[in-house]
Amino acid sequence: MIITSSSEVETRSVGRRLASLLRPNDVVLLCGELGSGKTAFVAGLAEGLGVEDQVTSPSFVLVRRYRGGFIPLIHADVYRLGSLNELSDLDLLDEAENAILAVEWGNAVESAMPSQYLRVQFEVLEDGLREIGLVGHGPAWTDRSLEDVFE
């Protein structure tokens, strides 16, 4: 499924709407260039999960945790990691057992993720619009209807 966004507000709205489909232990991999909307999308996810804290990029701290919503949200940025071993050291998958894990630059660690996850691909078009592609992987995502949420 591909959704077109013309602003940060619309990108946040896509994340907010997606939150209604998320369940504890879900992994959301966010893939796209710098400035493509990954953090804005996570801010929308947080809003949809009932998080009241302001979401900011975890670029320099690697991981931010938001516990004020219906389901805890773990927001990671793996851009600065040098290896998959460093990802393992963060113990994110175990920590996210009862939470949602959203990983910016997720394409760098996709091979280390569980077999069930949602890949969100951000593409910046020449006219400044963004295409947000949502692809569920694994049986947990075949049960959920992305189309119903975004129509």
Side-chain angles (χ1 to χ4, degrees), residues 87-131:
L87 175 69
S88 180
D89 290 344
L90 292 174
D91 207 24
L92 293 175
L93 295 174
D94 286 339
E95 185 180 352
E97 193 170 292
N98 294 307
I100 307 300
L101 174 60
V103 182
E104 292 195 32
W105 303 100
N107 50 308
V109 297
E110 195 164 5
S111 65
M113 291 294 116
S115 61
Q116 302 193 71
Y117 61 92
L118 178 68
R119 182 185 170 104
V120 183
Q121 180 71 47
F122 296 84
E123 297 291 336
V124 179
L125 306 177
E126 288 183 22
D127 56 5
L129 295 175
R130 275 132 175 92
E131 285 187 345

Side-chain angles (χ1 to χ4, degrees), residues 34-106:
L34 186 66
S36 61
K38 296 181 296 292
T39 300
F41 183 88
V42 174
L45 276 181
E47 289 171 11
L49 293 171
V51 172
E52 294 180 8
D53 296 335
Q54 181 178 349
V55 170
T56 57
S57 175
S59 293
F60 296 102
V61 296
L62 299 179
V63 181
R64 294 195 186 274
R65 294 161 180 87
Y66 302 96
R67 305 213 183 272
F70 311 113
I71 303 170
L73 174 64
I74 300 167
H75 181 197
D77 184 323
V78 298
Y79 182 78
R80 298 187 188 292
L81 295 184
S83 70
L84 290 178
N85 287 336
E86 290 180 33
L87 175 69
S88 180
D89 290 344
L90 292 174
D91 207 24
L92 293 175
L93 295 174
D94 286 339
E95 185 180 352
E97 193 170 292
N98 294 307
I100 307 300
L101 174 60
V103 182
E104 292 195 32
W105 303 100

Side-chain angles (χ1 to χ4, degrees), residues 16 23 26-27 32 52 110 114:
R16 188 171 42 256
R23 303 172 186 158
D26 277 346
V27 175
E52 294 180 8
E110 195 164 5

Side-chain angles (χ1 to χ4, degrees), residues 17-23 26 141 144-146 149-150:
R17 292 167 68 187
L18 176 66
S20 67
L21 286 180
L22 297 179
R23 303 172 186 158
D26 277 346
W141 285 98
R144 301 180 220 187
S145 178
L146 292 167
V149 172
F150 293 106

